[in-house]
């Protein structure tokens, strides 16, 4: 029996006979559920609290491969007819939530603390603009949960929790949100599968509960996944917050009150909770940003695509043709290191190394980073600016903290790598910029010095 069908069997039994979960079998011979609290296999990021760049880069590489594979899949539209019901926020205006670097929880990504349930229990959840469905690890962890920094969410302790049925419009929208078909338990509960192509996965009950953004702002009927089998490269976060453009994403669910817009500033990875990072949901102030059109890709319309027009190194444009810049390009908070197709990356790397090598000694490659120098960010100060300019003139002028990353003691590398046919603007290059996703007006804005 395949692992998924074993999980489905366990979840079906759990739904059908919750009162019998203390026993493996009953007197009449009917199989009952044994509840497991098992550590997921995952990576060292899952199994301990140590932050390791080599682990982060390995995870990042698998994440990029998964995104590349997704772009080759045919997009599945949500079914017509009944639509998921969108919740309404109890309080008006916008909400701003502190956003923290994930090193403290063993991740190369960023997390917020969101409340689930009534009364709310707060969970450390990674923000991901490349995912739509949000999910959190839930008791009783019927199959497996990995270690996390917060107590596991207990749906039984929430007076507003409910499982969604297989005939709900939200269940019908799962294929579009996750690219995986929903399944049904014997009792008719809807099961989701959020798979990330790198062996990371969350499977559980599609659910609704109250979402608390701030002490005065909550969403009574937030749709998310209550994970009963969770394994993979999530650090010690409680789950994922999906910020992509699908119907089931958090942004779409709160858009009835705030509108379909959000802004964030990712602080430097080493700043901890004092970096001034934030996730703000609500109206974007146009005067603060330079905008580029937000594009759609028919293969995966939920991702945030844009058009890269020019890359400058040290004030000089790279010798690239217009066709080199025509590759699918999107911005993703869940990718750490920016990826460029080899035809672009090799030109960028060579131009950068040519300038840097006149002042700093070269060092051996580190993992996927192949342009490294002896020294750290404090001693390597004369760094040529890399400027990524998008259609319409908006851009990211990258300082040393955006273009370089300390690989190990005494070794610092260019924080770019190559990919297969796509370009991804990663979160290392986004650090300290305020980035606005104005979905309503199909544009993405950039402003320097955004964290406060």
């Amino acid at each position: 029996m395949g692992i998924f069908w074993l999980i489905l069997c366990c979840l079906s039994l759990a739904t059908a006979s919750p009162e019998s979960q203390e026993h493996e079998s009953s007197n009449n011979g009917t199989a009952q559920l044994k509840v497991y609290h098992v550590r997921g296999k995952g990576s060292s990021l899952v199994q301990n609290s140590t932050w390791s760049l080599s682990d982060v880069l390995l995870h990042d590489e698998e994440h990029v491969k998964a995104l590349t594979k997704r772009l080759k899949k045919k997009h599945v539209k949500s079914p017509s007819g009944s639509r998921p019901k969108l919740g309404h926020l109890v309080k008006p205006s916008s909400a701003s939530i502190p956003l923290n670097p994930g090193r403290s929880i063993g991740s190369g990504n960023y997390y917020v603390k969101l409340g689930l349930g009534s009364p709310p229990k707060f969970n450390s959840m990674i923000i991901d603009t490349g995912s739509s469905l949000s999910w959190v690890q839930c008791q009783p962890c019927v199959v497996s949960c990995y270690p996390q920094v917060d107590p596991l969410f207990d749906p039984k302790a929430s007076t507003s929790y409910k499982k969604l049925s297989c005939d709900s419009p939200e269940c019908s929208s799962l294929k579009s949100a996750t690219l995986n078909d929903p399944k049904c338990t014997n009792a008719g509960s809807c099961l989701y599968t959020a798979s990330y192509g790198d062996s990371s996965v969350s499977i559980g009950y599609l659910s609704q509960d109250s979402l608390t953004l701030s002490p005065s702002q909550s969403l009574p009927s937030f749709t998310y996944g209550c994970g009963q089998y969770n394994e993979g490269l999530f650090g010690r976060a409680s789950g994922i917050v999906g910020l992509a453009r699908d119907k089931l994403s958090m942004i779409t669910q709160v858009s009835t009150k705030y509108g379909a817009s959000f802004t964030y500033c990712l602080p430097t990875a080493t700043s901890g909770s004092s970096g001034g990072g934030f996730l703000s949901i609500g109206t974007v102030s146009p005067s603060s940003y330079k905008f580029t059109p937000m594009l759609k890709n028919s293969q995966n319309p939920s991702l945030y695509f844009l058009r890269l027009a020019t890359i400058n190194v040290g004030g000089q444009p790279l010798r690239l043709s217009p066709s080199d810049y025509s590759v699918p390009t999107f911005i993703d908070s869940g990718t750490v290191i920016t990826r460029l197709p080899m035809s672009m990356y090799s030109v960028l790397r060579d131009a950068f190394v040519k300038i840097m090598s006149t002042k700093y000694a070269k060092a051996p490659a580190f993992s996927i980073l192949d342009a490294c120098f002896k020294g750290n960010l404090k001693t390597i100060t004369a760094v040529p600016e890399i400027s990524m300019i998008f259609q319409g003139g908006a851009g990211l002028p990258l300082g040393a903290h955006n273009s370089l990353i300390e690989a190990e003691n005494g070794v610092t590398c260019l924080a770019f790598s190559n990919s297969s046919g796509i370009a991804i603007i990663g979160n290392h290059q986004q650090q300290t910029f305020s980035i606005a996703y104005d979905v309503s007006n199909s544009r993405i804005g950039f402003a320097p010095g955004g964290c406060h």
Side-chain angles (χ1 to χ4, degrees), residues 288-367:
S288 302
Y289 299 92
K290 287 187 177 180
F291 288 95
T292 186
M294 180 186 293
L295 308 177
K296 275 196 175 184
N297 182 288
S298 60
Q299 294 297 99
N300 203 318
S302 66
L303 299 178
Y304 295 102
F305 285 85
L306 65 177
R307 180 162 289 115
L308 188 58
T310 308
I311 300 177
N312 296 330
V313 175
Q316 298 298 315
L318 297 180
R319 294 183 177 180
L320 295 170
S321 67
S323 61
D324 289 321
Y325 288 110
S326 64
V327 297
T329 303
F330 61 96
I331 186 169
D332 180 29
S333 68
T335 298
V336 180
I337 302 297
T338 288
R339 301 306 203 282
L340 299 172
M342 181 56 83
S343 60
M344 299 177 68
Y345 170 70
S346 61
V347 178
L348 167 65
R349 177 197 59 204
D350 293 349
F352 188 80
V353 169
K354 183 178 180 180
I355 298 173
M356 289 288 289
S357 60
T358 62
K359 297 184 179 180
Y360 305 102
K362 293 182 182 178
F366 181 90
S367 183

Side-chain angles (χ1 to χ4, degrees), residues 16-188:
S17 51
E19 73 284 351
S20 61
Q21 293 181 5
E22 297 178 357
H23 308 284
E24 292 188 55
S25 62
S26 62
N27 293 333
N28 62 11
T30 302
Q32 306 294 340
L33 174 68
K34 181 177 181 179
V35 177
Y36 295 89
H37 299 272
V38 183
R39 181 191 299 272
K41 289 182 287 186
S43 75
S44 60
L45 284 181
V46 174
Q47 296 175 357
N48 61 60
S49 59
T50 303
W51 187 93
S52 164
L53 179 59
S54 59
D55 281 341
V56 166
L57 293 175
L58 287 172
H59 172 208
D60 208 40
E61 189 70 359
E62 293 302 316
H63 175 75
V64 169
K65 289 178 181 177
L67 287 171
T68 303
K69 187 180 296 183
R70 278 176 57 185
L71 289 175
K72 294 178 181 178
K73 286 186 177 182
K74 185 177 181 180
H75 172 64
V76 179
K77 293 183 178 180
S78 296
S80 57
S82 59
R83 298 169 64 89
K85 295 178 180 179
L86 300 179
H88 292 269
L89 288 161
V90 174
K91 295 283 184 175
S93 74
S94 62
S96 187
I97 311 164
L99 181 59
N100 302 301
R103 283 199 178 194
S104 63
I105 60 171
S107 173
N109 298 313
Y110 291 79
Y111 72 94
V112 292
K113 300 279 282 190
L114 294 178
L116 278 175
S118 303
K121 302 296 181 182
F122 284 83
N123 304 272
S124 302
M125 301 179 70
I126 292 171
I127 66 163
D128 188 4
T129 58
S131 298
S132 292
L133 181 69
S134 302
W135 59 266
V136 67
Q137 295 197 116
C138 283
Q139 291 190 21
C141 285
V142 172
V143 182
S144 173
C145 282
Y146 58 82
Q148 63 177 50
V149 292
D150 305 304
L152 286 168
F153 180 67
D154 184 2
K156 290 184 179 179
S158 172
T159 59
S160 51
Y161 174 82
K162 72 173 182 178
K163 293 177 184 175
L164 293 175
S165 65
C166 281
D167 59 2
S168 66
E170 292 83 2
C171 190
S172 300
S173 295
L174 271 177
K175 181 64 179 289
S176 174
T178 65
L179 303 183
N180 294 308
D181 289 314
K183 304 294 182 183
C184 293
T185 66
N186 294 338

